Amino acid sequence: MKGIKRLDWYIMGKFLGTFFLSLLLIIGIVIIFDISEKIDDFVAKEAPLKSIIVDYYLNWIPYFMNMFSPLFVFISVIFFTSIMAANSEIIAILSCGVSYHRMMVPYLVTATIIALMSLSLNLWVIPKANAPRVAFEQKYFKRHKVSMDRDIHYKLEDNKFVYVESFSTWNNTAYNFTLEEVSEDGLVSKISAETAKWDSTTSSWRLRNYFIRDYGSGIHDRVRSGKQLDTVISLTVEDFYRNKFTVAQLNGKELDQLIATQKHRGDQNVMFAEIEKNNRLAMPFSAFVLTIIGVSLSSRKRRGGIGWNIALGIGIGFSYILFMKFSEMFVHTDTLPASIALWLPNIIYVLVAAFLYYRASR
């Protein structure tokens, strides 16, 4: 029993040590290349050194670690397991009466640790870190401003609907603004305005050249008009900026609230929040899938040696990350809901893992 416990600590130490060492090495290399690429922007925009280090890079590291954690998990497993197999350590473990299934226990325990770490980063650390990082990028990097699509429809309440022909992010102004109130009997009132500009001091919309029509019974309608009118509705300027950058700054509770609000309004930008939510949950699960695949592929001696295993590991790891990113297109094109599209890579790779594990354990 003591030998088995020692074996567990041995494999877990190898796994975690290789994972964090490879992670630190890659982070250092990537930061050097990132600085060389963005140095012109830093100099041109006169970014303070403290902001570069604290606001950007220290908050960028958790984001980078989590994004590429599946790749590092897979490479780590492939690397140290291949060395163990080349040194006949796997053969020695199995010949001592330890079954292949029992040998997988420390691997899965370590994968659980990494998955919980990734989940914690996703739910609490990264959303807080994204706010200063994104603010820094928008201020100091060359980036196009986010613009909304034309013909925007919102359902504010069960009986109130907003239509905007277009919205300018340059001056926070909605053009050809319409607010309609309906009831079971039909249209109750309609407010139309040439423009609706957001007033941040009063948190209201300032309508210009507006017309208000209150519909009565029969032909008795009341029509009013004017040059300017301030109105408060359950729609703010932030709703026009909801995209993959802003939702990344919300914690789990705020993300759920945003999804519920946007679904109620019929907001097409709800896909950004749904993609973010499912990504946060699906990414940590990959630690289990890729660990099983990595052990199954590298626990046997191969003629190609460790180099072949590492090349195979990098290829499969990158293919998983690319598949995760590609699956977002199914949501953008409205082909699949986010709850299926973002989990599709895990579902497919689970089947691959089950097949490879069955072959390796025989």
Side-chain angles (χ1 to χ4, degrees):
M1 199 67 182
K2 289 183 179 180
I4 294 178
K5 289 184 178 179
R6 190 177 295 116
L7 174 63
D8 293 338
W9 286 113
Y10 177 74
I11 293 177
M12 291 171 62
K14 288 278 189 179
F15 195 163
L16 289 174
T18 308
F19 174 76
F20 286 112
L21 180 60
S22 61
L23 201 58
L24 290 174
L25 290 174
I26 296 298
I27 286 175
I29 295 172
V30 172
I31 287 178
I32 292 173
F33 279 100
D34 191 69
I35 291 175
S36 64
E37 180 184 352
K38 296 183 172 68
I39 189 68
D40 292 337
D41 289 332
F42 293 153
V43 174
K45 299 292 182 66
E46 298 181 350
L49 180 61
K50 182 180 178 181
S51 296
I52 295 174
I53 297 174
V54 178
D55 295 337
Y56 182 58
Y57 281 110
L58 287 183
N59 290 309
W60 172 84
I61 288 174
Y63 169 78
F64 179 85
M65 285 175 57
N66 192 66
M67 175 181 291
F68 290 97
S69 62
L71 176 63
F72 294 123
V73 166
F74 201 61
I75 292 177
S76 300
V77 172
I78 288 284
F79 181 75
F80 82 84
T81 306
S82 296
I83 293 178
M84 290 175 62
N87 294 333
S88 301
E89 293 181 62
I90 301 294
I91 296 175
I93 292 171
L94 297 177
S95 63
C96 290
V98 179
S99 68
Y100 197 87
H101 305 299
R102 178 60 184 85
M103 188 187 70
M104 284 296 302
V105 171
Y107 282 98
L108 295 178
V109 170
T110 310
T112 302
I113 295 173
I114 295 175
L116 291 176
M117 182 188 70
S118 177
L119 187 62
S120 300
L121 288 174
N122 274 336
L123 297 181
W124 295 292
V125 178
I126 294 178
K128 289 183 179 180
N130 277 338
R133 180 181 65 84
V134 172
F136 181 92
E137 289 178 349
Q138 292 177 341
K139 184 177 181 180
Y140 295 108
F141 292 165
K142 297 175 183 178
R143 184 183 296 277
H144 296 291
K145 290 185 175 293
V146 178
S147 59
M148 296 294 298
D149 294 331
R150 299 177 65 87
D151 297 328
I152 305 163
H153 298 264
Y154 283 129
K155 179 183 178 182
L156 303 185
E157 301 171 13
D158 290 337
N159 63 336
K160 289 185 179 180
F161 300 85
V162 163
Y163 167 75
V164 173
E165 184 179 277
S166 61
F167 181 81
S168 172
T169 58
W170 178 71
N171 56 5
N172 291 335
T173 301
Y175 295 91
N176 289 337
F177 173 91
T178 301
L179 173 63
E180 295 180 342
E181 182 177 351
V182 300
S183 67
E184 295 180 356
D185 298 326
L187 197 59
V188 176
S189 66
K190 180 177 181 179
I191 302 176
S192 302
E194 288 185 5
T195 63
K197 183 177 178 62
W198 176 252
D199 188 345
S200 58
T201 58
T202 60
S203 297
S204 63
W205 293 96
R206 179 159 293 174
L207 309 183
R208 296 190 182 276
N209 298 329
Y210 69 89
F211 289 87
I212 302 177
R213 183 166 186 170
D214 299 316
Y215 293 87
S217 58
I219 60 173
H220 301 288
D221 296 342
R222 182 187 176 192
V223 179
R224 293 166 287 160
S225 63
K227 292 293 185 182
Q228 181 175 301
L229 175 68
D230 290 343
T231 181
V232 178
I233 56 177
S234 57
L235 182 71
T236 67
V237 70
E238 285 80 12
D239 292 305
F240 291 95
Y241 286 88
R242 297 295 186 188
N243 53 59
K244 64 181 180 180
F245 299 107
T246 55
V247 297
Q249 304 172 36
L250 304 178
N251 59 39
K253 184 178 180 181
E254 293 170 337
L255 202 58
D256 289 336
Q257 292 174 346
L258 177 62
I259 291 173
T261 300
Q262 290 184 322
K263 282 186 174 180
H264 178 75
R265 291 177 176 175
D267 189 347
Q268 62 180 354
N269 289 317
V270 70
M271 64 182 177
F272 293 116
E274 291 182 328
I275 288 173
E276 179 68 21
K277 178 181 179 179
N278 285 277
N279 251 332
R280 292 181 183 183
L281 299 176
M283 187 70 75
F285 184 77
S286 66
F288 299 101
V289 181
L290 296 180
T291 295
I292 295 174
I293 294 177
V295 177
S296 301
L297 290 175
S298 59
S299 59
R300 306 288 183 182
K301 283 187 177 182
R302 294 179 180 273
R303 290 184 178 180
I306 187 174
W308 168 253
N309 286 339
I310 292 177
L312 187 62
I314 293 175
I316 294 180
F318 268 116
S319 69
Y320 176 85
I321 294 174
L322 289 175
F323 197 179
M324 286 289 291
K325 294 299 179 182
F326 181 78
S327 63
E328 295 180 9
M329 297 303 299
F330 294 126
V331 185
H332 287 284
T333 58
D334 202 23
T335 304
L336 291 172
S339 57
I340 296 178
L342 274 300
W343 283 89
L344 190 59
N346 281 334
I347 294 172
I348 293 176
Y349 276 74
V350 161
L351 298 177
V352 174
F355 171 74
L356 294 176
Y357 182 77
Y358 173 75
R359 289 190 58 186
S361 62
R362 293 183 64 183

